[in-house]
Amino acid sequence: MPEIVTVTQQGRVGIVALNNPPVNALSHALRSELCARLADALAAPELEALVLCCEGRTFVAGADIREFGKEPQPPDVPEVVEFVERATKPVIAAIHGTALGGGLELALACHVRLAAATAKLGFPEVSLGILPGAGGTQRLPRLIGARAALELIIGGAPVNAARARELGLIDAIIEGDLKAGAVAFAERLIDQGRPPTRVSARTVTLEEPTLFEEFVAGITERCRGQLAPFHCVRAVRAAVELPFAEGLKVERELFAELMRSPQAKALRHAFFAEREVAKVPGLPLDTPARPVKSAAVVGVGSIGSAVAICFADAHIPVSLIDTSRDDLERGLAVVRRHYANALETGQLDAPEMEARLGCLRPALDDDELETADLVVEAVFEDLELKRDVFGRLDAICKPGAILATTTTSLDIDAIAGGTRRPEDVLGIHFPSPTPAVRLVEIARARRTAPDVCASALAVARSFRKVAVSVVARPGFIGSRMRSRQLREALCLLEEGALPAQVDRAFYEFGFPLGPFAAAARDGLDVIGSDANPNGERLSEREQAELALEASKARGVVRRTIGDEAILERCLFALINEGARILEEGVAARPLDIDMVWIHGYGFPAHRGGPMFYADEVGLSRIHTAILDFQERVEPTSWVPSPLLERLAKSGSGFYGAP
Ligand code: 3H9
């Protein structure tokens, strides 16, 4: 087994190389080895400066998240970082790939930071419900100022090397061979006889007296209910107001509090689940995927144009096919508007936008279908229409082409039955045309071939989406659970709640939108569908009137329903449906359901997804509540799923024993 830390000598410079695949995380073994090897190198008289670098695809990408929640083994990350900063010889960080979290803290403890032009640096800790806990909140403001530090730490997104240089986060960008450049830099330092300069020795002054209040005001709505972003502000404030050692103590306390929080546990779960979801049970990771070098989308409505954008973003040439010139133009206009907006907001530059637009091939006939490796059908949700389209695809597409339907509500086996190649057919469902919604459900029909499934998952990942594999049954995971939840929300309207109140309860829980606001956004005609046959958007007052009318029409005496009761009814209905989906095998694992809800339906990540949340609440409590609803509310819709009942009685959770 290769050594985890090696020191090699190059002239007067020692190269300390870390090798802990896959991402050089600061595991216990790496931490101990690094301290031991560094101590040797610092004691070696022939070495006058050290270069700290990494083997493999990246610099240190952070603390080892797998060790979180366990008793930390010494030396911990803060000790390693302190040890590096106190080194009596200059230590130079040579960064490639990503220096994230504890990795960036390690780099901040070095006396010089150099980076490859392609490197990225950042603090993603907030997305794990914690804050940089190894001096990051204290050193970063001292290096780049309090405002920039807050932006980096609370924003969580990494910056590229050029921006890092502008901010003063790194000292130089090395073009060409990074190690050789870092050694040359070290030689120059030795020649100049420069002693190590420590970031902790710097002071930071607050030039904007209301900066912290401004930041808190800026995140109050967006980060509602979350602890970590607000703790980050407090930690950076300590860097400004206190000496380094005292600020560090504040950081440690806040970090420890966050680390113990249920939010951090939930976000860790979400982190690993996002990676685990790619490993589909029964589909070996080495299943060969069919190459997808060209694609076609049939039907250019809102979903069709969104799918076309995904292909263009992945630089896959895509034909957009529709039967009407007007519809085709409308779809193209949506795509062009999307890219114009991306250009205006700086998400893309002009050449990249042109490259993506250049991937689009609009067409009014089917000729373009002949060469496509993957065809996505996105026509109106009508079985006969879809079967017709698939019959056409069968006649035109080349052998081996993958044929995907965007339906969730129709029987994909029946659609596949319109072809002579059902093994090439599967479902690919985008819950929303909004590009920010990352979920794609990949639905295996009865006869879908494994390599077709593997190919669709790979394509979805090339879109930078979170792809969840499901068994094709109407509704898949997301929309089936959403329908159940919406039904419960509608019942609550009749009993006494108002739509705005239901939406507000969900918003406060952490959803970006409540069920009614989400349904209105997605064009679902849900509120008072009898009274509102055209599905028009209704004002809050009209919605309230419809709710009152509905109660009256059904002879229900309205009562006051609290926000907590609203959430229990809707979320427990959602969880019970999730349990059914699990026991039917539509979802292979609870984490598949959690990923669908976090990435497709706005379930707050800091609550871990509905199945994780259910375990936190306790299945026994949920089971008791369901039985109570069965008695008091409605006997047929409130039947506990046998799986939920079994787990609750055995004291277990969806993810095993608590
Ligand atoms: C922190 O540093 C706290 C500090 O303040 C210190 C406090 C005292 N640990 O994502 P990928 C695994 S918090 C353990 O598919 P990519 C991952 O699970 C940390 N394992 O690769 C996967 O395993 P598997 C701050 C980790 O190329 C494999 O590596 N840092 C860690 O698409 C490949 O991962 C972060 O939050 C880790 N830190 O992306 C960075 N990171 O193969 C988290 C990854 O078994 N990491 N793994 O499924 C990332 O953002 C991405 O992994 C990265 C590479 C961008 C680095």
Side-chain angles (χ1 to χ4, degrees):
M1 223 171 98
E3 283 178 82
I4 205 163
V5 181
T6 52
V7 181
T8 48
Q9 183 178 354
Q10 201 158 327
R12 295 172 292 172
V13 181
I15 301 176
V16 183
L18 317 187
N19 187 9
N20 189 22
V23 297
N24 286 308
L26 291 167
S27 62
H28 175 238
L30 179 64
R31 298 195 304 271
S32 344
E33 236 355 71
L34 176 56
C35 286
R37 296 285 75 78
L38 261 182
D40 295 345
L42 291 170
E46 66 280 13
L47 302 178
E48 294 178 51
L50 303 174
V51 167
L52 182 68
C53 61
C54 287
E55 304 295 350
R57 64 200 220 214
T58 178
F59 192 77
V60 175
D64 190 333
I65 305 170
R66 289 182 200 278
E67 291 179 2
F68 288 4
K70 300 179 187 155
E71 192 59 35
Q73 300 292 313
D76 61 14
V77 182
E79 283 173 84
V80 177
V81 164
E82 290 297 307
F83 185 69
V84 170
E85 196 185 49
R86 280 201 313 272
T88 45
K89 297 172 184 174
V91 183
I92 296 161
I95 299 166
H96 77 290
T98 44
L100 300 176
L104 183 51
E105 291 177 300
L106 188 66
L108 286 172
C110 293
H111 310 112
V112 175
R113 281 154 297 283
L114 306 175
T118 50
K120 293 197 168 152
L121 301 91
F123 282 117
E125 277 88 342
V126 276
S127 64
L128 291 166
I130 55 173
L131 51 72
T137 64
Q138 304 304 298
R139 288 192 179 84
L140 190 66
R142 285 177 161 77
L143 195 62
I144 67 172
R147 174 176 282 278
L150 283 170
E151 279 166 4
L152 219 64
I153 292 172
I154 294 172
V159 291
N160 62 23
R163 178 72 184 137
R165 179 74 193 92
E166 258 169 41
L167 289 170
L169 181 53
I170 57 171
D171 297 279
I173 295 176
I174 302 288
E175 304 288 349
D177 188 325
L178 178 64
K179 258 187 223 170
V183 170
F185 200 100
E187 292 282 0
R188 282 201 297 280
L189 278 188
I190 297 168
D191 288 341
Q192 290 161 3
R194 288 231 313 258
T197 50
R198 300 188 172 94
V199 175
S200 63
R202 293 173 171 236
T203 50
V204 52
T205 47
L206 188 62
E207 278 157 8
E208 305 160 87
T210 57
L211 177 69
F212 296 110
E213 287 73 14
E214 203 188 291
F215 254 86
V216 170
I219 60 173
T220 298
E221 275 292 298
R222 183 167 57 83
C223 302
R224 66 195 175 285
Q226 296 174 48
L227 292 174
F230 299 93
H231 275 37
C232 288
V233 178
R234 288 165 65 190
V236 174
R237 184 169 208 147
V240 172
E241 293 176 351
L242 299 173
F244 183 76
E246 283 179 43
L248 214 51
K249 271 194 212 148
V250 173
E251 180 194 89
R252 288 305 301 159
E253 279 162 21
L254 294 170
F255 176 81
E257 190 188 324
L258 289 175
M259 199 57 140
R260 287 191 301 267
S261 70
Q263 295 191 2
K265 189 174 160 207
L267 285 161
R268 270 200 310 277
H269 158 70
F271 175 86
F272 286 117
E274 191 177 326
R275 281 144 187 90
E276 211 48 41
V277 82
K279 301 165 194 162
V280 178
L283 188 71
L285 281 174
D286 57 1
T287 306
R290 299 183 190 179
V292 175
K293 297 211 169 80
S294 63
V297 178
V298 180
V300 196
S302 61
I303 289 292
S305 17
V307 178
I309 289 171
C310 291
F311 282 113
D313 284 351
H315 291 196
I316 298 173
V318 55
S319 306
L320 281 75
I321 298 168
D322 215 306
T323 45
S324 124
R325 185 172 295 280
D326 283 354
D327 289 346
L328 194 56
E329 277 307 320
R330 248 194 308 277
L332 276 171
V334 169
V335 178
R336 290 199 192 100
R337 231 181 359 258
H338 165 82
Y339 282 124
N341 187 37
L343 182 70
E344 207 175 293
T345 51
Q347 294 164 52
L348 284 184
D349 57 21
E352 182 58 28
M353 182 185 82
E354 289 308 325
R356 295 187 192 186
L357 284 170
C359 289
L360 306 171
R361 289 201 297 255
L364 285 167
D365 55 50
D366 288 346
D367 291 353
E368 293 281 335
L369 290 169
E370 280 174 28
T371 52
D373 295 319
L374 166 60
V375 181
V376 179
E377 162 279 306
V379 302
F380 189 68
E381 196 75 345
D382 175 275
L383 183 59
E384 278 321 303
L385 177 62
K386 286 190 190 266
R387 275 175 65 90
D388 271 4
V389 170
F390 272 77
R392 245 165 68 204
L393 297 182
D394 193 22
I396 299 168
C397 294
K398 65 182 182 186
I402 298 166
L403 311 180
T405 169
T406 54
T407 188
T408 42
S409 59
L410 302 174
D411 179 352
I412 299 183
D413 289 316
I415 295 173
T419 74
R420 286 158 299 166
R421 41 172 128 174
E423 64 283 358
D424 292 341
V425 177
L426 86 175
I428 177 164
H429 172 240
F430 297 73
S432 160
T434 315
V437 175
R438 293 182 65 209
L439 174 70
V440 179
E441 282 173 285
I442 303 293
R444 293 184 311 277
R446 210 159 35 86
R447 298 194 39 201
T448 308
D451 65 334
V452 168
C453 197
S455 313
L457 287 164
V459 168
R461 283 197 289 272
S462 78
F463 294 167
R464 296 176 186 276
K465 299 272 182 189
V466 175
V468 179
S469 169
V470 299
V471 168
R473 296 263 174 77
F476 302 166
I477 297 175
S479 46
R480 174 169 158 190
M481 288 171 74
R482 177 160 108 157
S483 299
R484 176 66 190 95
Q485 183 184 62
L486 206 47
R487 210 170 104 203
E488 208 50 42
L490 284 166
C491 291
L492 285 163
L493 296 192
E494 273 181 19
E495 292 173 33
L498 294 174
Q501 183 199 0
V502 174
D503 280 347
R504 198 181 51 245
F506 272 74
Y507 181 78
E508 293 302 332
F509 183 79
F511 279 88
L513 290 176
F516 297 118
R521 178 201 58 190
D522 297 344
L524 300 187
D525 170 21
V526 285
I527 299 168
S529 49
D530 298 342
N532 179 30
N534 300 324
E536 287 154 8
R537 296 265 164 96
L538 299 175
S539 73
E540 204 172 291
R541 197 166 60 99
E542 282 162 318
Q543 288 183 11
E545 278 169 11
L546 284 174
L548 300 184
E549 271 175 33
S551 312
K552 204 164 143 197
R554 287 177 171 73
V556 178
V557 180
R558 293 178 70 79
R559 61 190 169 88
T560 305
I561 305 177
D563 289 1
E564 201 175 320
I566 289 174
L567 284 172
E568 281 208 345
R569 281 272 292 276
C570 294
L571 293 176
F572 291 0
L574 187 76
I575 290 162
N576 199 33
E577 196 64 25
R580 286 189 196 288
I581 283 173
L582 263 182
E583 63 196 345
E584 288 169 21
V586 172
R589 302 157 296 185
L591 68 86
D592 293 302
I593 299 178
D594 284 341
M595 289 298 94
V596 163
W597 272 80
I598 288 177
H599 294 291
Y601 294 86
F603 200 98
H606 66 273
R607 297 192 190 264
M611 309 318 271
F612 181 90
Y613 174 73
D615 280 6
E616 291 294 291
V617 172
L619 295 194
S620 161
R621 192 182 138 207
I622 295 173
H623 180 243
T624 308
I626 290 175
L627 293 178
D628 179 50
F629 296 149
Q630 191 178 35
E631 204 178 301
R632 282 192 304 112
V633 181
E634 217 272 314
T636 49
S637 60
W638 279 108
V639 177
S641 107
L643 173 68
L644 189 142
E645 185 157 80
R646 209 169 50 247
L647 292 173
K649 285 185 175 162
S650 67
S652 188
F654 292 116
Y655 286 95

